[in-house]
Each structure stands twice: as structure tokens, then as C-alpha cells.
Amino acid sequence: MTDHHDFDKNYLENGKGFKSWFFTVDHKRLGVMYLWAIGVFFVLAAIASFLIRFEHLSPGQTIISAQTYNVLFTLHGAVMVFLFIVPGVAASFGNFLIPLMIGARDVIFPKLNLYSFWIYCAGSLILLLSLAAPVDTGWTFYTPYSIDTGTNVILVTFGVFVLGFSSILTGINFIVSMHKLRAPGLTWDRLPLFCWAAYATSLLQVLATPVVGITLLLLIGERYFGLGFFDPAKGGDPVLFQHFFWFYSHPAVYIMILPAMGIISEVIPVFSRKPIFGYKAIAYSSLAIALISFLVWGHHMFTSGQSKLINIIFSVITFAVAVPTAIKVFNWLWTMYKGSVELSAAMLYSLAFIFLFTIGGLTGLFLGALAADVHLHDTYFVVAHMHYVMIGGTVFGLFSAIHFWYPKMWGKMFDEFKAKIAFTLIFIGFNIVFFPQFILGTQGMPRRYFNYAPEFETLHQLSTYGTWILGVGFIYMLYTLFKPVGAADSNPYRSVSLEWQMPSPPPTLNFKEIPTVTTSTYDYGTKVEQEA
Amino acid sequence: MASANPYKTYLNIWLLLMFLTFITVYAAEFDFGALNVPIALLIASVKAGVVALHFMHLKYEDSMTWIFAIYPLFLLFLLIAFSATDIFTRVAN
Amino acid sequence: MQIMKFIKSLAYPSEMLPPIVEEESHFDPETEHSAAKLGMWLFLATELLLFGGLFAAYAIFRAKYPVMFAEGSANLDVVLGSVNTVILIFSSWTVAVAVTAIQENKIKLVQVMLWITLICAAIFGINKYFEYSYKLSNGIGPGTDIFYSIYFAATGVHMLHVFIGMAVLGVILKRTYEGRYSKEKFTAIEIGGLYWHLVDLIWIYLFPLLYLVG
Amino acid sequence: MDWLPTSASTFAPQVDSILWLVTIISVVSCILVGFLLIYFVVKYRRRSDNDQTPAITHDSFLETLWTVIPTILCILIFIYGYVYYDKYTTPTKGAYEINVTAQRWSWSFAYPNGKKTFNELYVPINKPVRLVMQSKDVLHSFFVPAFRVKQDVIGNRYTFINFTPTKEGVFDIYCTEYCGISHSDMLAKVHVVSDIEYAKWESGDSADVENAYAGMAPDKIGEQLYSSKGCVACHSIDGANGVGPSWKNLFGLEREFIDGTKEIADENYIKTSILYPVNPPQGKVVKGYAPVMPSYQGLLSDSEITAIIEYIKTIK
């Protein structure tokens, strides 16, 4: 029809101006826009967290009031969870990569993909509108506090409800794309592990999100009509709200982490020049996690007043989920065995992911053990555990992806050396922020506390100083990324997977001819020593 | 994809559904005690199954569609089973 | 005029998009058809779980407050409920016929059937309106007790789906007059029909649970 | 600084043993992962751009190994966690039952002998205690780090905590379920005392308290009560608006109430407000504030109320 059929034109050059981006159906442009959006929200929520940490430099009021503090941690949690990390890697890199990896010209429902993005924008806007009278419930909206607090709960929950549709529609799009659009020869056991992870994530998005949707709708009903399901004063049950909420929010943890795991599975083989170790185990454990993660939500509620029997059941199943995760960690490690390992910035982030995620996972064992959780629940131990998984895991995975696919996305290279300096600062800063919090929590420092006892001061201060290093590292990373140095080859890392076998940046229609796949995505190394 | 005379089949199915609706209402006249809900749910499920299989053509769909049609039912069961287990085993500990 | 244009652009965003959106599909019609159906089934799965929260709340509170549920249920109008059930199942049948008819290129039949469906849906809505207003005039509303909260929440969310279904089928009906569908191209009617059947399915459960089992 | 808090109940050493067990497992695993990571990175670093690598895709033995070992460890940790949790949740027959009421943002305790205390829990050493807890408003959570016990407190339903204190002393009670603006000030103390002292405290009604304050000026006593009875959670003394009105310059000030009436804040007004804060007809809630203050009837003696009034007079 028009010039976009010109195959030589890459997706970045095909059309200029706001309209050509905001109304595009090109999955690559949508992926890039999601990346921008989550980046902006990440910075917003990070600023909130810096203020929170600054407040803790001394006990009592340091810079902000108690009410502002409560608003800030709610804002930090809600924006980080619903605007940044849930759409996060799946929507940005999922959109950019899945069609390239499966050898398709786009996702199966390109227009729906655009609508999902619009819905995401609308939901974010609604959620942020609530800043006019900011909410102080915490991102978990526990009843009955959220029913009777005077703040803008309805607007925020409605925003989350709308965002849910974006999540669901993106999930449907990815699942159906992977069923219907894989290139000839790209069988399920040749599919890149990032796609497997995205598939498992999409399943969770499609099946878990509606439950939180109805829960938040009912919460709105509680506030408007006084429905009473979650209000003890009306014969309802606040713990039931927690059941409904965590039925979504526990699988949501895996919505956040699985795509990052997928990224690690892509990056490590490339920089080790080895096939991924235990392809099937990693692929199936993604699926296993997706299925079992629906069975463990109650481990967020061991001290909530849940019955003893159900606590025990949830504890057992929780330990069952720990196993597939352990398998993945060792498989990634063993991929490097006898390889040819190059420590690029992307690889450094991936290796840091393995280490930090191991700590995050192991500290989960403390929380899964019933008697220990009684002590540790709702303390800083949980805060530290969660951030080791979410930052040490997801965010490090995202940074790895940003560096790894940078040449493919922008057609340019960044300064590797500077990127490694930024990595070092981020890694050190992160650990200084969050490791002391494990100790704080074990000593009994509760979370969501504006004020704290003087004996916790040293560790709190240490943690706050860490945020400054982390912040500097993050700014330096952005600086490095915004200053490209020279053009990129189509395949600077000599990867064998499909998305690198095309020009950088990719042409608008991806493939002139749909490719036929004949080998595995991880076809590295010589076959002499295969299978002892 | 449809059978020889789909309109006739649909009409039969519709008549069956009407009959089942009548049974549901009629059965509610009697008190079966604890069986009231299971009976109502059983009839409703038969109706739902008929609608899904014939009107929604689930009969002709591939196994993937079947999985996506049935798996949410399993999740719904989990949601109810676990939260009910909690609420009805809360003896004083 | 500007406003009308804007509203129209909301309904048909594609009309104001750059040409790239109007690109013909990258995929063959067969793939597109089966993909749309699979996508719709996935969407139905989410709809089912959306109602799942309500069913779970129903199950738990019914077991907790059996007397309240028995009394509340006895106060609901079984006749009106039964009439609505018959109407909704009938409309499900008409949609099923419409989907088959389009595959035989019988556009006229499709249009008649979709009109009947829409009328049935409207009657369903009017009945619900009478039911709600009767309850509300007697001082019974959401929040009266847990049973009525469930009743209003469940039927309310269901009613919302009826409206959405009406909108979907309405747009499809309009497009049949524009000649957009044929024997070769009927995916929209089929997945619109699937959505309508789901609305029916949910009601098949809600009716006995709310009106009959006391 | 010790990484574990004081251990002062029979449950605490049990929890600590799990914490130690999992810590050891974690440290060993972390060292293993960290070592392998660094070893592989160094040993197999890229030497030339055309390094030959073997195409190892899997190894059934290794994979079974790192499936089985974590599984065994997980089962072990679960069993530990379960056994101690079971002990903790099983009440001892004849335990000393204390009723706990949580409300924003204070704790009150009612004892079997009819005594009541506020933000101060008294328990005898080495006697099993059972707390029967309920919330008057939103969710709260009762947490004593020294005892390693924690349980959410819910409205319209009782929840329970069992513990046997093993060490005399004063320990912190925290609220760990977020409950609003003064969540982090919803603090209390638990006093573990010997049997003899406990008996004294039980029989002595407020005599002990009076003795403790012997020789102190009333306004100084009031200043102590201000923090020990939880007034500090809602009322500032520096003029800042909290949940309730500030006490600065309060005495003698004209107050306007939500029903539009006015009154001068004198001794009688303050006493009435402490005893009947929100219940009409006596209760007068100052305009601009929510009617959330709990009644201190039975929790403060007349002389203590007088002391608080004297203290308020001094805050200028």
C-alpha cells in the first residue's frame, strides 16, 4: 500500500511524530513505548522510595509527616507493582521480542495490542489522578481499613481494575500468537526460553487477573453501597478479602519474575557460547511454576487469623514451589561450565540476578516455615526478601535485557566499560540498602513504620546511605545508555537465535519471508562431548 | 462443521434446555435437605454443558480450547475450596 | 461537529489511524479465524473467573448464614426469574442459529435472529429494572444484608455483561447491513455469539442459586 | 549488635533453632552458588573469539541431584516449622487468660481478676498465658519480638496467642498490621514479673502506682503518663495537628465542637473528655477531628487524671 511495505526501512524510521507512534500497531514500537512508560513510572516510584528511606535516617520525623509517609509507601508500592513490574518485562520486551523470536511479522492481534497499550495508559492515568487526594492504604488495600479511610481508594482501585484489562488482553495476545504464529519448524522444544517464560506469564495474567478485578470491584461496592462482604461490622470477613487478593497477587509475583528468568536463559548461553543446560527442565519448570503458583497464596496470611489447617496445607505447597526455582538456578550456572564466558554488562546483570535471586529465594524458606514466619511476618525481613526478588531478580533481569538487546532495539552500541561501572555501583548500593533490612526484620522491626525505636537507628541509616549509591549508579547507567557510541552490527554477540538474524534495528515487517527453523535456539558448541 | 440439519438440532437443544429449566423450577418445590444445592447445581451444569457443547461448538474445538475452557473451572474450585477450608476450620487454636 | 468526529473516532479508532493500521492481515484467513476463536475462549476464561469471585463469596456466605440466604431467596420473585431464564436461553438459541445461518450466506436470517436476540436482551433488562426498583422501593438494596449484597452484586455485574453483549451484537447487526460478513468472513459473528452464550451460561447458574435454592 | 532479639519465652528458642537451621542452609547454598559462579567465570573466561565449546545440553545425574537435595531440605524445614507451630498454636489447659482489645492506636488488657491495664501488659513468669484478642476497628497485629509471637487482631472475631514467658523484664509490643496514621506509635510494653510481684500487683490495685510516683510533682507524673498511656500517639505537645488536637496552649482555650457548641477547656472539660470522649451527651469532639478517641474509664485513676491535667497546664 504505502511506504511501510518498503522492507529496507527499519521500524524506528518508519514514520515520525507522535501520531506515528501512539497509533502504531507495530509490536516493536509498542514494546519500546511500554519500555518508556515503565521507565518513567519506575523513576517516579523510586523517588518515593528515596524519600521513604531518607525519612528513616533518624527515628521520629526527619523530613516528612506520618501521613505523607503512609501516602508515599502506598504510592511506591502501587506504582511499582501495578504500573511498573506487572506490565514490566512482559509488555516491553515481550512485545518487542516474541514475534521476532517465533519468526512472525507481528503478534496475532496487532490492533488489540495497540488497544492494550491505550488501556494501560488510561489505567495509569486514573491511578495517578488519585494523587489529588493520595491514598494511604498500602498497595494491598486490606479491608476494613480501605473501606473507611477517607482517601481516594475508589479511584486507585478502579485504575488497577482498568490496568487489569491491559494485562489480560496482552496475555491473550501472546498465548494465541505462540500457538498460531510459530514459524515452520519452530516446534515447542525449539522455542526460546524467553517465549516459554512469556507463555507461562501470560497464562497467569489471563487466569489470575480477573479475580483481583472482581475483588477490587467489590471493594468499590463496599465503599459505595456498603456491601459488607469484607467488613466485620456487617458480618463480612476481612480475611476473605485477603484470600481473594492474594489469589491474584501471589501468581502476580511470578508474573513479575518469570519474564526476567526468561531473559537470563537467553543471555547466559550467548555469553557462554554454550547451549542452555537442561532446556526441558527450565521450560517445564516455568509451566510448573505457573500452575503451582495458584496453590500457595495463603503463605502471605499465616498470621492473618487463617485456620491452622489451611496454614499447614499452604506451607507444604509453598515448599513445593521452591524446588523448580532451585533447579533453574543450577541449570543457569551449569550453562557456563566449560563454556567461553564473556563478562559483558548484560552478562554481569544476569549473573548478579542468579546470586541475588538465590538470596531472595533462600530467605523465602524462612518465611515458608510456619513457626519462623510467625516471628518474621510483616517485618523488614519480608521487605528485604521481596526486594531481593523484585529488584535483585526482576529489575536486574530488565537491566540485563536493556543492555543485551540494546543494539537490536536501537541499532547502536553503548559504552561497555561505563555500563560495567554503573553495574558495580548498582550492585553494591542495592546490597547495602537491603541486606541490613534482613537483620532489622529478624530483630523485630515492623514494616510500614513511620517511627522506630532508637536501637534500630544504625541499620536504618546504613540502608539509607545505600540508596544514595544505588541512585548514583542508576543515574550513571541512564547516562551511559543515552550516550550511544557508534552503530551496531546486526549480530554483535554472535547469537544464533532468530531475532539476531536480521538487520539492527529490525525492519518494520520483521521478515521478508517467514523463516524455516531447523535447529534449536541454543545451537552453540561442537557436538563431540554431547551426552556422556 | 455443523451436522446435517443444524437448525433442527438447535431447536431440539433449545427444547431440552426449556425442559431442564422447568425441572429446575419444579425440583425447587421439594425439599431434599442437604441435596438441594447439589441437585440445582447438577441440573445447571447439564444445561451449561449443553450450551457449551452445542451452541458454543465446543464439540468441534481442539484440545487447547478444551483446556482453556476447563482449567478456569479448576481454579474456581481451588479458590472456593481453599478459602472455605480456612473459614470453616477456624476452631480456637 | 468536532465532538461527533471525536466520538466516532472512539468507536472506530481505525478511521483516524495512519495507514499502517489498515494494513491487510499478515496471516491467512484460516489462522486468523481459529486464532480469534482461541483468543475469545481465553477471554471467556477470564470472564468466568471474574464471576468466580462472586460465586466463591456466595458459597462461603451461604454456608455461613444459611437462614439469611433461605429467607432472602424466598423473597425473590421466582416467576420473574424464570421468565428471564427462558428469555435468555431463547436468545442464546437465536444467536446460535445466526452463526449457522451466516455460514450458509443467509444474511436475512442472520439479521432477523440478531434482532430477536437484542429484543430478548432488552426485555431481560426491563424485567430486571422492575425487579430492582420493586426491591429498592421496599427499602431493600445492596448492603441490606449479605444475601442482598450478593444478589445485587452478582446480578448487577451480570446485567453489565448483558449490556456489553447488546453493544457487541448491535455493532455486528449494523455491520451485517453494511455487507461486511459473508460465508467466508464471519469470525466476528461467531466470537460475538460466544460472548453472548457466556452471558447465558452465567445466568444458568445464578438463577437457581439466587432464586430457587433457599 | 546481636542479630536475634532477646529470647524470653518457651517458643523463642524453638523459632531461633529454625532461624539458625535455615541460615546455615542458606549461607552454605549462597557460598556454593557464589563460588561456582566466580569459578566458572574465571576458569572458563573467553580467551579468544573462536573458543571451542562442547555442546552439553543436559546431564540427568546432576539434574536429579539438584532436584532431590533441595526437595529433602525443603521437607526438613517444613517439618521443623510445622512441629513448633503446632506446639505454639495448641493452648495449654488452665492457661492464664487475658483479654486484649486493640483499637486505633492503643492496646487494652483485661485480666481474669477484673483488673484492666492500658498499653501495659503484666504477666507472671513461667506460667502459660493465653491472649484472647479482638479489634474494635480495623486490623491490627499483636507482636512481641522477645516472645517471637505474632497474630492479627480482627473485628467481630477472636484470635489467640499462647506463650509462656521465661525471662523477667520489660519487652516491646508492636502493632504489625498497618492501621493508619499512628500505626508506628501503637506501642505497648509487656512486663514479665515474678510470682510474688505479680500477686502484689494483682492485689495492690493502684497503691503500687501511687508509691512509684511518691515524691513526684503531679505535672511530672502527667508527663510520664502522656507517653506510657499512649496519649502521645494522637496528641502532640508542639502544636502540630495529629489525630487529635494538640495539647499546646490547650488549657483555657475556647473549643468549638462538631455540633457547633463551644466550651472553655478547663479541668472539668478535660476530665470529661478523657472519660467520655465521643459518647453523647457528655462527649464533645472538637471540630475538624474524627470521633475516634477511646474512653479511659477504668484505665486511669482520679489522681492520674489530675496529674495529666496538671501536665497539660504546663504545656505552653
Side-chain angles (χ1 to χ4, degrees):
Chain A
M1 255 182 268
T2 39
D3 59 350
H4 59 270
H5 269 296
D6 182 0
F7 187 77
D8 297 328
K9 220 167 190 182
N10 75 49
Y11 82 102
L12 289 172
E13 289 167 354
N14 187 11
K16 292 231 179 311
F18 173 78
K19 240 182 159 181
S20 77
W21 281 84
F22 199 68
F23 293 98
T24 185
V25 292
D26 184 343
H27 67 98
K28 298 181 287 302
R29 286 194 159 201
L30 284 166
V32 167
M33 283 195 289
Y34 272 116
L35 193 59
W36 272 102
I38 63 168
V40 169
F41 292 132
F42 177 76
V43 170
L44 176 72
I47 290 170
S49 71
F50 275 77
L51 290 172
I52 292 169
R53 279 313 323 162
F54 202 95
E55 170 56 38
H56 284 319
L57 259 185
S58 64
Q61 182 161 342
T62 311
I63 48 164
I64 48 176
S65 69
Q67 183 60 23
T68 314
Y69 176 84
N70 294 343
V71 164
L72 278 178
F73 79 66
T74 306
L75 181 76
H76 170 73
V79 172
M80 276 293 188
V81 170
F82 297 113
L83 300 191
F84 167 67
I85 209 165
V86 164
V89 182
S92 58
F93 281 94
N95 258 313
F96 188 85
L97 291 173
I98 289 173
L100 301 183
M101 283 180 161
I102 62 176
R105 291 195 168 137
D106 207 322
V107 293
I108 186 106
F109 309 122
K111 271 194 214 177
L112 189 68
N113 208 12
L114 176 62
Y115 298 159
S116 308
F117 179 70
W118 287 349
I119 295 171
Y120 169 73
C121 293
S124 312
L125 219 61
I126 295 171
L127 199 149
L128 290 178
L129 275 181
S130 71
L131 284 174
V135 168
D136 67 344
T137 59
W139 75 276
T140 45
F141 311 116
Y142 270 16
T143 54
Y145 185 78
S146 57
I147 298 175
D148 73 15
T149 180
T151 49
N152 231 332
V153 178
I154 291 182
L155 214 53
V156 174
T157 42
F158 185 65
V160 174
F161 180 76
V162 172
L163 285 165
F165 277 100
S166 167
S167 199
I168 290 171
L169 295 177
T170 304
I172 291 178
N173 222 333
F174 288 172
I175 291 177
V176 181
S177 297
M178 277 182 262
H179 273 291
K180 302 290 179 187
L181 290 185
R182 276 170 294 121
L186 186 60
T187 49
W188 285 101
D189 58 356
R190 284 176 180 168
L191 198 62
L193 286 167
F194 178 76
C195 293
W196 270 101
Y199 187 89
T201 309
S202 303
L203 270 183
L204 293 175
Q205 284 178 328
V206 169
L207 296 171
T209 315
V211 176
V212 82
I214 189 71
T215 310
L216 295 179
L217 218 50
L218 289 178
L219 178 57
I220 294 174
E222 295 270 348
R223 285 186 70 107
Y224 259 127
F225 305 113
L227 291 181
F229 299 145
F230 306 132
D231 189 351
K234 295 195 165 110
D237 190 343
V239 180
L240 186 67
F241 176 85
Q242 298 175 25
H243 278 298
F244 284 10
F245 183 81
W246 289 111
F247 183 86
Y248 163 74
S249 294
H250 188 73
V253 172
Y254 293 95
I255 293 178
M256 304 168 195
I257 191 73
L258 274 171
M261 291 174 162
I263 285 165
I264 306 310
S265 311
E266 296 299 319
V267 172
I268 290 182
V270 173
F271 291 108
S272 308
R273 297 260 165 88
K274 284 264 319 291
I276 186 91
F277 188 87
Y279 174 92
K280 278 193 177 148
I282 295 183
Y284 295 156
S285 68
S286 287
L287 269 193
I289 286 173
L291 300 183
I292 308 176
S293 69
F294 277 107
L295 304 167
V296 297
W297 77 82
H299 67 216
H300 297 264
M301 302 163 58
F302 284 158
T303 66
S304 70
Q306 209 175 207
S307 85
K308 183 174 171 179
L309 172 70
I310 201 80
N311 273 348
I312 295 163
I313 296 173
F314 276 129
S315 179
V316 176
I317 312 174
T318 299
F319 281 105
V321 188
V323 177
T325 325
I327 296 172
K328 285 190 175 212
V329 166
F330 284 108
N331 280 342
W332 290 323
L333 275 180
W334 230 259
T335 303
M336 292 192 289
Y337 172 69
K338 287 194 176 173
S340 164
V341 179
E342 188 194 344
L343 275 187
S344 65
M347 183 69 164
L348 280 172
Y349 279 110
S350 283
L351 295 178
F353 172 104
I354 298 181
F355 186 69
L356 299 177
F357 182 72
T358 304
I359 297 179
L362 287 165
T363 47
L365 296 179
F366 289 85
L367 298 168
L370 283 166
D373 184 74
V374 170
H375 177 58
L376 296 172
H377 185 75
D378 269 346
T379 66
Y380 264 70
F381 192 93
V382 178
V383 177
H385 160 72
M386 169 173 93
H387 283 90
Y388 262 85
V389 178
M390 297 291 104
I391 299 184
T394 309
V395 174
F396 272 67
L398 176 68
F399 288 175
S400 181
I402 290 176
H403 288 86
F404 181 60
W405 281 289
Y406 187 92
K408 184 55 58 187
M409 219 172 214
W410 309 108
K412 293 176 182 146
M413 298 301 279
F414 56 89
D415 189 327
E416 274 283 345
F417 179 72
K418 285 182 184 164
K420 284 177 197 169
I421 292 177
F423 162 79
T424 314
L425 287 171
I426 291 176
F427 182 78
I428 293 171
F430 168 78
N431 281 293
I432 297 179
V433 180
F434 291 106
F435 202 82
Q437 296 187 359
F438 283 123
I439 304 168
L440 274 176
T442 318
Q443 287 178 344
M445 169 77 209
R447 67 191 285 204
R448 294 177 171 179
Y449 258 35
F450 167 68
N451 198 354
Y452 59 86
E455 67 254 35
F456 298 129
E457 191 171 0
T458 320
L459 287 169
H460 268 302
Q461 283 176 346
L462 190 62
S463 178
T464 303
Y465 298 144
T467 57
W468 301 348
I469 304 176
L470 187 61
V472 170
F474 181 67
I475 292 169
Y476 192 63
M477 184 192 91
L478 285 184
Y479 167 79
T480 311
L481 291 174
F482 279 108
K483 276 210 112 107
V485 288
D489 294 345
S490 64
N491 190 2
Y493 310 125
R494 294 207 283 149
S495 165
V496 298
S497 67
L498 211 48
E499 82 271 21
W500 292 102
Q501 316 307 320
M502 59 169 67
S504 303
T508 303
L509 282 184
N510 299 352
F511 301 96
K512 202 175 236 165
E513 274 169 43
I514 297 297
T516 301
V517 180
T518 50
T519 58
S520 132
T521 320
Y522 305 99
D523 197 20
Y524 300 96
T526 43
K527 306 262 190 274
V528 275
E529 273 189 59
Q530 198 174 14
E531 292 191 34
Chain B
M1 87 188 327
S3 58
N5 190 343
Y7 302 110
K8 203 173 163 195
T9 320
Y10 286 153
L11 194 64
N12 291 338
I13 304 262
W14 182 71
L15 289 172
L16 175 66
L17 286 170
M18 285 296 105
F19 174 69
L20 287 169
T21 307
F22 172 74
I23 299 267
T24 321
V25 180
Y26 184 71
E29 301 283 309
F30 303 95
D31 189 9
F32 300 101
L35 287 177
N36 277 341
V37 180
I39 288 175
L41 280 181
L42 185 75
I43 302 175
S45 300
V46 172
K47 282 163 76 179
V50 169
V51 171
L53 282 176
H54 293 277
F55 285 177
M56 298 171 89
H57 298 160
L58 194 54
K59 237 169 81 169
Y60 309 105
E61 299 292 350
D62 56 8
S63 56
M64 239 18 250
T65 312
W66 275 85
I67 290 172
F68 288 134
I70 290 172
Y71 192 61
L73 295 174
F74 169 69
L75 289 181
L76 179 56
F77 166 76
L78 279 183
L79 176 62
I80 296 176
F82 277 144
S83 39
T85 310
D86 164 29
I87 286 166
F88 299 107
T89 57
R90 280 178 195 164
V91 285
N93 57 350
Chain C
M1 268 324 278
Q2 275 297 333
I3 293 175
M4 277 315 294
K5 205 175 156 194
F6 177 70
I7 292 171
K8 207 176 165 212
S9 77
L10 288 179
Y12 300 104
S14 56
E15 283 172 15
M16 59 186 282
L17 299 187
I20 185 160
V21 171
E22 283 304 294
E23 164 104 33
E24 74 252 51
S25 150
H26 306 305
F27 328 111
D28 60 292
E30 183 54 38
T31 311
E32 205 169 19
H33 180 75
S34 68
K37 270 199 301 187
L38 186 63
M40 193 62 200
W41 274 100
L42 274 164
F43 189 72
L44 296 188
T46 72
E47 288 286 5
L48 196 88
L49 283 161
L50 183 85
F51 280 97
L54 291 163
F55 284 122
Y58 173 90
I60 282 154
F61 287 115
R62 185 177 196 284
K64 214 169 166 182
Y65 306 115
V67 178
M68 177 206 288
F69 272 64
E71 283 172 1
S73 169
N75 279 332
L76 294 183
D77 191 334
V78 180
V79 177
L80 216 49
S82 312
V83 169
N84 262 351
T85 310
V86 172
I87 289 172
L88 215 53
I89 292 180
F90 181 71
S91 73
S92 211
W93 174 66
T94 52
V95 165
V97 170
V99 173
T100 305
I102 189 67
Q103 294 174 56
E104 296 174 1
N105 247 347
K106 295 177 182 159
I107 300 284
K108 205 82 233 143
L109 185 59
V110 174
Q111 285 162 351
V112 170
M113 284 300 155
L114 286 180
W115 271 116
I116 296 176
T117 311
L118 284 180
I119 291 165
C120 285
I123 297 174
F124 182 90
I126 291 164
N127 278 345
K128 267 255 112 35
Y129 171 77
F130 282 125
E131 216 179 330
Y132 281 172
S133 53
Y134 177 71
K135 285 277 173 266
L136 291 172
S137 67
N138 283 354
I140 293 171
T144 301
D145 65 20
I146 298 257
F147 173 79
Y148 284 110
S149 288
I150 295 243
Y151 164 76
F152 278 102
T155 56
V157 176
H158 179 260
M159 203 56 225
L160 191 70
H161 281 78
V162 172
F163 288 141
I164 296 170
M166 282 172 79
V168 170
L169 293 180
V171 170
I172 290 173
L173 181 60
K174 176 173 172 277
R175 290 183 174 185
T176 57
Y177 288 104
E178 293 165 4
R180 293 226 205 171
Y181 305 116
S182 66
K183 197 161 119 188
E184 285 80 32
K185 196 162 179 284
F186 59 90
T187 311
I189 300 185
E190 191 165 7
I191 65 173
L194 280 176
Y195 188 85
W196 191 253
H197 292 309
L198 178 90
V199 173
D200 185 28
L201 274 188
I202 300 290
W203 185 257
I204 284 178
Y205 281 95
L206 285 182
F207 169 60
L209 288 180
L210 290 172
Y211 290 79
L212 296 178
V213 183
Chain D
M1 201 194 269
D2 200 357
W3 71 289
L4 289 170
T6 328
S7 150
S9 77
T10 48
F11 184 49
Q14 298 173 349
V15 171
D16 292 353
S17 71
I18 303 177
L19 294 180
W20 274 112
L21 172 79
V22 188
T23 304
I24 291 166
I25 292 176
S26 301
V27 169
V28 171
S29 320
C30 268
I31 291 175
L32 180 75
V33 169
F35 168 77
L36 283 176
L37 218 155
I38 293 169
Y39 179 76
F40 285 169
V41 166
V42 174
K43 174 118 197 256
Y44 303 116
R45 67 183 177 280
R46 187 163 298 177
R47 286 155 211 272
S48 78
D49 214 25
N50 291 311
D51 283 349
Q52 290 299 306
T53 52
I56 307 167
T57 57
H58 62 280
D59 182 328
S60 306
F61 171 72
L62 276 175
E63 288 182 68
T64 315
L65 192 71
W66 61 57
T67 308
V68 171
I69 293 177
T71 308
I72 294 171
L73 290 176
C74 281
I75 292 172
L76 182 74
I77 299 170
F78 165 74
I79 291 173
Y80 256 85
Y82 163 70
V83 169
Y84 292 143
Y85 177 76
D86 188 46
K87 277 191 191 157
Y88 154 68
T89 46
T90 311
T92 319
K93 276 215 176 85
Y96 188 68
E97 275 197 14
I98 299 171
N99 276 291
V100 181
T101 308
Q103 82 178 93
R104 284 183 280 188
W105 288 271
S106 59
W107 301 95
S108 43
F109 306 98
Y111 301 82
N113 58 12
K115 267 183 99 92
K116 277 183 174 176
T117 57
F118 189 78
N119 279 352
E120 309 274 337
L121 171 64
Y122 287 87
V123 290
I125 191 166
N126 292 332
K127 285 255 172 60
V129 175
R130 178 171 170 81
L131 302 181
V132 180
M133 310 190 292
Q134 197 174 16
S135 165
K136 273 195 177 170
D137 39 50
V138 298
L139 300 180
H140 300 280
S141 191
F142 185 93
F143 177 36
V144 183
F147 297 164
R148 314 282 190 272
V149 296
K150 183 184 291 126
Q151 175 63 55
D152 281 14
V153 186
I154 304 170
N156 217 2
R157 202 186 119 200
Y158 293 107
T159 49
F160 310 89
I161 284 185
N162 309 299
F163 62 86
T164 308
T166 54
K167 197 171 180 180
E168 283 183 37
V170 185
F171 306 105
D172 289 318
I173 299 171
Y174 294 118
C175 172
T176 49
E177 190 64 78
Y178 174 69
C179 56
I181 186 162
S182 296
H183 170 52
S184 65
D185 291 323
M186 190 167 162
L187 309 172
K189 297 280 181 199
V190 50
H191 299 257
V192 181
V193 294
S194 67
D195 284 350
I196 303 165
E197 272 180 67
Y198 198 81
K200 233 190 199 159
W201 171 79
E202 267 194 316
S203 58
D205 86 334
S206 56
D208 269 354
V209 180
E210 307 281 323
N211 287 340
Y213 294 136
M216 280 176 76
D219 58 324
K220 295 287 169 219
I221 300 174
E223 192 173 357
Q224 283 195 0
L225 293 169
Y226 171 68
S227 44
S228 69
K229 297 293 181 184
C231 316
V232 61
C234 304
H235 301 280
S236 77
I237 53 169
D238 59 1
N241 285 334
V243 175
S246 173
W247 285 1
K248 192 179 181 186
N249 294 326
L250 168 66
F251 194 79
L253 201 65
E254 193 186 51
R255 311 258 64 179
E256 191 184 348
F257 306 115
I258 41 183
D259 58 359
T261 57
K262 290 179 182 171
E263 199 173 312
I264 300 286
D266 57 6
E267 283 91 345
N268 280 320
Y269 161 75
I270 295 174
K271 183 166 184 178
T272 319
S273 294
I274 292 173
L275 295 177
Y276 314 103
V278 298
N279 301 343
Q282 300 102 320
K284 313 231 180 227
V285 178
V286 177
K287 204 169 197 171
Y289 294 93
V292 292
M293 175 157 164
S295 166
Y296 280 72
Q297 218 175 358
L299 296 167
L300 289 173
S301 69
D302 277 356
S303 59
E304 283 172 324
I305 293 177
T306 312
I308 289 175
I309 295 171
E310 288 308 311
Y311 174 57
I312 290 177
K313 284 179 184 172
T314 67
I315 310 168
K316 297 286 178 200

